Amino acid sequence: MSDKIGAVMVVGGGVAGIQAALDLAESGYYVYLVERSPAIGGVMAQLDKTFPTNDCSMCILAPKLVECGRHPNIKLVTNATITGISGEPGNFTVTIKQAPRYVDPEKCVACGDCAAKCPVKVKDEFNEGLGERKAIFIKYSQAVPAAYMIDATKCLRILHAEKAKAAGKEPPCGLCAKACQRGAINFDDTEKTFDLNVGAIVLAPGFDEYVPKELKALGYGVYPNVVTSIEFERILSASGPYGGHLVRPSDKKEPKKIAWIQCVGSRDRKLEKGAYCSSVCCTYAIKEAIIAKEHSAEPLDTAIFYMDMRTYGKGFEAYYEKAKKEHGVRFIRARVFRVEPGEKEGDLRIRYADESGEIKHEDFDMVVLSVGLRPAKTAVETAKVLGLELNHYDFCRTQEADPVATSRPGIFVCGTFRTPMDIPQTVMEASAAAAAAQTLLSSVRGTMVKKEELPPEKDVSQEEPRIGVFVCHCGINIGGVVNVPEVAEYAKTLPNVVYATHNLYTCSQDTQQLIKEKIKEYNLNRVVVAACTPRTHEPLFQATIREAGLNPFLFAFASLREQVSWVHMKDKEVATQKAKDLVRAAVSKVRLAQPLSLVPVSINRSVLVIGGGVAGMTAALELANQGFKVDLVEKEGELGGLARRRLHFTAEGNEVAPIVNNLIEAVNSHPNITIHLNTKVVEASGYVGNFVSKLSNGKEITHGATVIAIGGREYKPTEYLYGQNPRVMTQLEFEDALVKGQEPVAGANTVVMINCVGSREEPRMYCSRVCCTESIRNALKFKEKNPQARVYILYRDIRTYGFKEDLYTKAREKGIVFIRYNPENKPKVEVAGDKLKVTVFDPILKEDLIIDADVLALSAAVLGPEDAREVGQLYKVTCGMDDFYLEAHMKLRPVDFATDGVFLCGLAHAPKFLDEAIAQAKAAAARAATVLTKDAILAGGIVSKVDPAKCSGCRICVNLCPYNAISFDDVNKVSVINEAVCKGCGVCAAACPSKAITMGGFTDEQIFAEIEALLS
């Protein structure tokens, strides 16, 4: 076998590729990030907001863009595609074709002088053709790399160069080159072909939006006010063609009524390869309807025409309910058959059939088509070059037991090229693919990485404060409410402020460079950023000023989004004044800031995995295969969890037992895994890199990272005679009886299934995700055994997302009857002799139907683990009201906890299918590896410190500390704070009666200065 290479190629620069690249680079691998366009960011960069939190998409993506662009172990290869491959897993040679950029990205500073002089205007693809760009352009304002490119098909000089040279003349134009003061323009740039040697490949090529031109009845391309959902995102975006001002394309008037039509290009068997569900369209339509209302100066009527509302993800159902009840979004269950001109010019009339079949129509100012996700054409071409198998829809074929492995060893896939999915699932699978590559290349980890070189930290202790203030528009998140230029001008008047400016997106790569330049130009020794939220962005700005030679704690953040624009949305004058107040307070605080130090803390390179189900075993095995020692703790007497005890079939109908048994065998035989059965964690202490956990079997485990995978459980219904009649059972019980041939299932001729039992209603306002597919799969398995049997599925919405839609189609073809019910009028179940009488109101027939059933199967809710809070308290991690754990960030950190070094996966996070649990477990392993592969981590900074001379030894702080970071020195009779454990909450400093404790970055002087500034 040839030598392995410690580098990985990630193909695709969207959020999946970015996450995979960062995980790999942070765990000891050199990464080539290959992107076909001029900049990374993908479709997420085009979005205005994200669901269900309504966070600004660019705000949460930009820090990762910048981190990717500045990482010493990530090489961006843009305008590039794969044309060939040879070799074997661990050592591939990949041939890359890179199109000419005609602009040197090393010289370009994205000043825009070139575009200002370019005379050629063309439609802007990033803005979906709704706006224009020049022939020399930057993909979008926050693009990484922040460099321009020339479109050779539009550039006058390049188009006519050969003809001019043949005639002995100077080619025309060239104005961009004359305008560029850095000499970055290179008209002689050519296509390059080169080879890269890598050990593994991660495919993250994203998707193409469906273009609905073939659906003539919907009016796309015929009526200008019929737009696609991605076009509507650009209309809403502050960086879009209309600057975030909600207007319709035809006449730029503000609409008063907007309709969304769902399932355009999805769930449509008339379209070639379009029968699957695109998974995200329902929730993104809800998001757009809510955000459109926020953008509209006048009351806006929004209506969504749909078949089934598929809000199956974590937090999505509550988002749906909020849209209806708080925002007034109308939901119309219907079949739309035509969009035509309305009564007024530019208006549109939707003709549709409602649920009862009655033909109706309604006029709107705009119509948004919720288009589906198609496999990217370039991805299909790349898959062919790489020799990968595709499924019948041209997505990458994978297996449920290993959802990120392709048909070719050494090549892994993640994101929407595997199946349509939302951003959290995409990020999870990106980390999972990274884990797979890490495992393959574990023996060559760290062999190709470069170390980051930072300039020496400047000593500013003897200098007068020289403060720079950077105020962010955040698109229109802040700028649409706050008069940002006025705030920036006000900042210039504050004491010690020597520079102040405002930026459209302060988190963009070009603004990070600007901050560094201004620190040097104005000799700044302190920086204030007034922007969205420190939660996601403070580390980015601290890293930027550190690159400029400043201590990262000579920084203050004024939160103008959460504390100003979101809460004072209706009063711009008040918002602007409050923004000035917060900036004034931040300046007053940072003026007194002092450099803080970070101390290296060694890492224990072993892991504790709590939970021995499929997710826990997968995480343990992935980490063990990478060479880490793993302790696997399981409270039961056997491994396998819920999958071993109750599951027989996967979502696709395959057997679960082989998957579980293979995992159990692999875990039991692995030399790096120690298994603790019939065991619980009873006590835990420590911090990232150095945890200590005591087990109920008396053993004490030291470990650097923790993975919590304690599973979930099935709701035991209190309705529909469950527990009172043996013919009423849950789906898992029905499945078990079906497989074992037990009565009453074996002899049943009529089976009724009721979905959403215990879900989608208080106190569990969430969708249990798996139930619809589970009921349909069990119905099909039952029909296989008894083809003449009658099966009725009573449902609220059928949520067979992705390729699971095929099961729904197959079920209808097999004669399974689906009857929708409303939660206000649930089915009624009564005993009728040796049968059950099920009564359900049919909204189509508008009358009650009575079904005599032999068996009633209830699709019961998936519940969070019963010991979630008990385990969570040990590691200082939190649960939601539903007992599922809360991740650090719903979109971009879905397997991390807010507590560093602790990760989660499986049902403990949220309901999910087996393949999704496996992917998340691999993701947790990848994230844990980013900690375990470090020689040390840095601790300290904003932490508390004790002045021994003032400490009275009262121990109040010891008892109050929620993180157990404070101990008592019995010899010297003083409290001692472990900086690695301290989280800087300040409880101790506030409580200390002797004022012996000070908080770094939050001294009494700084806090009083802030208060005085706010009150002045």
Side-chain angles (χ1 to χ4, degrees):
M1 180 179 174
S2 58
D3 293 334
K4 289 185 176 182
I5 307 294
V8 180
M9 179 175 290
V10 176
V11 183
V15 67
I18 290 168
Q19 184 65 47
L22 288 171
D23 282 341
L24 287 161
E26 284 295 307
S27 56
Y29 300 95
Y30 194 79
V31 179
Y32 298 99
L33 180 52
V34 178
E35 164 60 33
R36 67 178 186 265
S37 78
I40 61 174
V43 173
M44 189 172 174
Q46 291 182 279
L47 304 181
D48 180 50
K49 300 289 195 303
T50 61
F51 57 78
T53 57
N54 291 348
D55 281 331
C56 165
S57 183
M58 184 50 65
C59 290
I60 59 176
L61 178 63
K64 287 190 177 286
L65 292 175
V66 175
E67 188 180 357
C68 224
R70 68 170 35 150
H71 203 291
N73 292 309
I74 298 177
K75 171 70 173 177
L76 300 183
V77 186
T78 56
N79 291 332
T81 55
I82 294 176
T83 59
I85 185 173
S86 61
E88 59 188 16
N91 193 332
F92 291 111
T93 299
V94 184
T95 303
I96 300 293
K97 182 174 73 174
Q98 187 174 36
R101 193 179 194 106
Y102 302 104
V103 177
D104 186 343
E106 297 300 319
K107 295 180 180 179
C108 179
V109 294
C111 65
D113 289 347
C114 54
K117 294 294 184 183
C118 178
V120 180
K121 293 182 179 180
V122 298
K123 285 190 174 182
D124 184 358
E125 301 89 345
F126 187 78
N127 280 321
E128 298 293 322
L130 295 172
E132 292 181 328
R133 62 166 173 82
K134 297 295 186 71
I136 185 167
F137 68 102
I138 192 167
K139 187 176 178 181
Y140 58 99
S141 57
Q142 308 86 14
V144 174
Y148 275 71
M149 172 182 168
I150 294 177
D151 183 345
T153 65
K154 307 297 181 185
C155 174
L156 297 176
R157 187 178 182 94
I158 295 173
L159 285 173
H160 300 286
E162 292 298 324
K163 187 176 179 181
K165 287 178 182 179
K169 297 180 180 179
E170 178 69 18
C173 199
L175 293 174
C176 57
K178 295 173 185 175
C180 181
Q181 297 180 24
R182 298 181 65 90
I185 309 298
N186 177 15
F187 292 116
D188 296 323
D189 199 4
T190 58
E191 181 179 280
K192 301 173 184 67
T193 299
F194 51 92
D195 291 339
L196 293 173
N197 291 105
V198 295
I201 299 170
V202 173
L203 276 182
F207 63 92
D208 288 341
E209 305 97 18
Y210 173 69
V211 180
K213 287 186 177 178
E214 61 187 306
L215 301 177
K216 302 294 184 185
L218 296 182
Y220 182 76
V222 179
Y223 310 117
N225 294 329
V226 177
V227 299
T228 66
S229 44
I230 191 68
E231 290 169 351
F232 194 72
E233 292 283 346
R234 297 312 302 151
I235 290 172
L236 291 175
S237 176
S239 63
Y242 310 137
H245 185 198
L246 177 54
V247 296
R248 61 184 192 175
S250 68
D251 52 16
K252 306 302 183 288
K253 290 182 178 179
E254 293 187 8
K256 292 183 172 56
K257 287 184 70 177
I258 305 177
W260 279 258
I261 299 176
Q262 298 306 104
C263 301
V264 177
S266 301
R267 300 186 66 190
D268 191 340
R269 286 185 285 171
K270 298 191 298 295
L271 296 176
E272 183 182 4
K273 299 183 178 181
Y276 60 89
C277 168
S278 288
S279 303
V280 299
C281 315
C282 287
T283 318
Y284 79 53
I286 295 173
K287 174 202 71 177
E288 289 178 353
I290 292 172
I291 300 303
K293 283 176 170 285
E294 292 180 358
H295 278 247
S296 182
E298 301 296 329
L300 179 67
D301 182 3
T302 57
I304 298 176
F305 292 81
Y306 72 104
M307 293 188 290
D308 294 285
M309 189 49 57
R310 294 185 167 177
T311 47
Y312 58 85
K314 188 172 184 177
F316 295 3
E317 184 68 19
Y319 192 59
Y320 172 35
E321 289 298 314
K322 187 175 180 180
K324 288 189 291 186
K325 296 174 181 176
E326 294 185 23
H327 295 283
V329 178
R330 293 189 290 134
F331 291 85
I332 303 170
R333 196 181 295 267
R335 291 276 185 169
V336 174
F337 54 85
R338 189 183 310 135
V339 176
E340 58 190 30
E343 284 188 6
K344 298 178 182 177
E345 184 177 355
D347 285 4
L348 301 157
R349 176 166 294 171
I350 294 180
R351 293 192 176 276
Y352 65 97
D354 68 10
E355 194 172 19
S356 67
E358 183 181 349
I359 305 299
K360 296 181 177 180
H361 70 265
E362 187 173 351
D363 285 9
F364 294 88
D365 299 323
M366 282 182 73
V367 171
V368 181
L369 305 181
S370 295
V371 294
L373 280 54
R374 291 295 176 95
K377 291 179 181 177
T378 53
V380 174
E381 293 166 3
T382 300
K384 290 177 180 177
V385 171
L386 298 176
L388 305 181
E389 293 180 13
L390 304 178
N391 71 8
H392 55 296
Y393 293 122
D394 284 342
F395 288 84
C396 192
R397 185 183 299 280
T398 61
Q399 303 299 320
E400 288 173 301
D402 196 352
V404 295
T406 70
S407 58
R408 183 168 184 171
I411 301 179
F412 309 99
V413 66
C414 59
T416 51
F417 188 44
R418 186 178 83 82
T419 183
M421 63 181 69
D422 58 20
I423 293 172
Q425 188 66 31
T426 296
V427 172
M428 283 182 209
E429 295 206 358
S431 294
Q438 290 169 15
T439 299
L440 173 64
L441 304 176
S442 59
S443 62
V444 289
R445 190 194 302 270
T447 57
M448 290 185 65
V449 294
K450 305 172 185 176
K451 287 193 175 181
E452 184 180 18
E453 298 293 335
L454 290 172
E457 197 171 291
K458 182 182 176 184
D459 181 6
V460 301
S461 59
Q462 302 304 312
E463 296 180 4
E464 280 291 314
R466 294 181 60 82
I467 303 170
V469 178
F470 300 84
V471 187
C472 187
H473 288 258
C474 198
I476 61 170
N477 286 297
I478 295 171
V481 178
V482 175
N483 187 333
V484 171
E486 186 178 320
V487 174
E489 286 300 312
Y490 172 75
K492 294 178 181 178
T493 69
L494 297 172
N496 297 107
V497 172
V498 297
Y499 178 80
T501 189
H502 56 95
N503 318 93
L504 182 62
Y505 290 101
T506 306
C507 55
S508 65
Q509 186 183 41
D510 59 325
T511 307
Q512 301 310 296
Q513 185 60 36
L514 175 73
I515 292 172
K516 289 189 284 187
E517 290 172 359
K518 296 306 176 185
I519 288 173
K520 182 177 180 181
E521 181 182 349
Y522 287 88
N523 194 28
L524 304 179
N525 53 31
R526 287 162 179 79
V527 172
V528 170
V529 171
C532 49
T533 171
R535 182 177 172 223
T536 55
H537 286 57
E538 189 169 47
L540 169 69
F541 297 118
Q542 288 180 313
T544 295
I545 70 169
R546 179 62 191 90
E547 287 181 359
L550 290 182
N551 183 281
F553 298 100
L554 297 173
F555 173 82
F557 199 110
S559 179
L560 301 192
R561 188 184 67 182
E562 275 84 340
Q563 296 182 15
V564 181
S565 63
W566 279 2
V567 291
H568 300 292
M569 191 179 298
K570 303 301 183 184
D571 196 332
K572 295 183 178 182
E573 189 175 330
V574 167
T576 300
Q577 183 56 50
K578 185 175 180 181
K580 292 178 183 178
D581 294 342
L582 293 184
V583 169
R584 186 172 64 250
V587 168
S588 298
K589 178 189 176 187
V590 83
R591 187 185 299 118
L592 299 173
Q594 295 297 318
L596 301 177
S597 60
L598 296 170
V599 294
V601 178
S602 62
I603 298 291
N604 180 323
R605 293 186 173 178
S606 60
V607 192
L608 175 67
V609 177
I610 307 173
V614 167
M617 288 192 293
T618 299
L621 198 58
E622 201 71 40
L623 288 161
N625 285 337
Q626 292 186 35
F628 301 111
K629 295 292 183 181
V630 181
D631 282 278
L632 178 59
V633 174
E634 168 54 45
K635 64 184 177 183
E636 303 290 340
E638 292 181 82
L639 296 173
L642 184 66
R644 177 189 58 79
R645 297 194 305 271
R646 306 295 297 276
L647 283 183
H648 293 278
F649 305 115
T650 67
E652 295 178 10
N654 300 314
E655 290 188 12
V656 170
I659 298 173
V660 177
N661 292 337
N662 289 341
L663 277 172
I664 292 173
E665 183 180 351
V667 166
N668 276 320
S669 61
H670 205 292
N672 286 339
I673 300 177
T674 301
I675 301 169
H676 307 268
L677 297 177
N678 293 310
T679 303
K680 291 184 176 184
V681 180
V682 294
E683 188 177 326
S685 60
Y687 48 92
V688 56
N690 292 274
F691 291 102
V692 179
S693 297
K694 293 181 180 179
L695 308 184
S696 59
N697 61 11
K699 294 183 179 179
E700 184 174 278
I701 308 297
T702 58
H703 51 105
T706 309
V707 177
I708 299 178
I710 58 175
R713 55 205 164 104
E714 185 185 42
Y715 168 64
K716 295 303 179 185
T718 57
E719 53 265 68
Y720 301 122
L721 300 181
Y722 181 82
Q724 303 174 43
N725 189 295
R727 295 182 178 275
V728 182
M729 58 193 71
T730 67
Q731 283 290 356
L732 287 180
E733 292 164 350
F734 178 86
E735 182 180 322
D736 194 51
L738 179 64
V739 169
K740 295 175 180 176
Q742 296 174 343
E743 297 295 345
V745 174
N749 290 311
T750 302
V751 172
V752 173
M753 298 178 175
I754 302 178
N755 288 358
C756 299
V757 177
S759 292
R760 300 183 64 193
E761 60 184 2
E762 296 298 347
R764 288 174 289 276
M765 190 53 74
Y766 61 87
C767 171
S768 289
R769 193 177 183 113
V770 302
C771 313
C772 289
T773 302
E774 185 180 52
S775 62
I776 292 172
R777 181 204 62 205
N778 283 345
L780 286 169
K781 290 288 184 182
F782 180 72
K783 289 283 279 186
E784 285 177 13
K785 291 197 171 188
N786 188 353
Q788 303 306 312
R790 294 180 296 275
V791 182
Y792 301 86
I793 297 180
L794 314 186
Y795 71 99
R796 290 177 58 185
D797 294 279
I798 293 295
R799 294 181 168 176
T800 46
Y801 60 92
F803 307 138
K804 300 170 185 69
E805 183 71 10
D806 291 346
L807 283 174
Y808 186 26
T809 300
K810 184 179 179 181
R812 298 197 301 275
E813 291 171 347
K814 293 291 184 181
I816 295 169
V817 178
F818 292 83
I819 304 170
R820 196 181 70 80
Y821 74 90
N822 288 313
E824 300 80 17
N825 190 9
K826 292 182 180 180
K828 298 177 178 61
V829 180
E830 303 170 85
V831 176
D834 60 351
K835 290 183 180 291
L836 298 167
K837 185 173 82 170
V838 180
T839 304
V840 58
F841 180 79
D842 188 322
I844 298 176
L845 300 176
K846 294 186 177 179
E847 61 180 45
D848 283 339
L849 298 180
I850 297 175
I851 307 168
D852 293 326
D854 299 309
V855 171
L856 175 62
L858 305 179
S859 297
V862 177
L863 304 183
E866 57 189 352
D867 52 349
R869 297 182 186 278
E870 176 188 342
V871 174
Q873 286 176 356
L874 294 172
Y875 296 97
K876 304 298 184 291
V877 298
T878 55
C879 295
M881 296 296 292
D882 47 23
D883 287 337
F884 294 108
Y885 284 118
L886 293 178
E887 58 275 77
H889 191 282
M890 185 173 284
K891 287 291 183 187
L892 296 186
R893 295 182 65 196
V895 298
D896 295 53
F897 281 110
T899 300
D900 294 336
V902 187
F903 308 92
L904 78 158
C905 57
L907 290 180
H909 167 254
K912 52 182 57 71
F913 287 97
L914 191 68
D915 62 325
E916 295 167 338
I918 291 171
Q920 193 179 19
K922 288 176 177 284
R927 298 295 299 148
T930 63
V931 172
L932 300 172
T933 52
K934 301 284 191 300
D935 293 326
I937 58 170
L938 295 176
I942 299 178
V943 295
S944 293
K945 292 189 177 182
V946 177
D947 182 347
K950 293 182 179 179
C951 181
S952 65
C954 68
R955 307 192 193 196
I956 290 174
C957 58
V958 177
N959 296 324
L960 285 179
C961 180
Y963 300 99
N964 299 319
I966 307 177
S967 58
F968 190 74
D969 181 347
D970 287 313
V971 175
N972 295 308
K973 305 301 181 183
V974 295
S975 293
V976 179
I977 296 176
N978 185 333
E979 292 187 14
V981 181
C982 178
K983 296 298 181 184
C985 69
V987 168
C988 56
C992 180
S994 305
K995 299 297 180 185
I997 301 177
T998 56
M999 267 284 299
F1002 291 89
T1003 64
D1004 287 352
E1005 292 78 11
Q1006 286 178 294
I1007 293 172
F1008 284 129
E1010 280 192 279
I1011 293 170
E1012 288 172 5
L1014 288 169
L1015 296 176
S1016 64

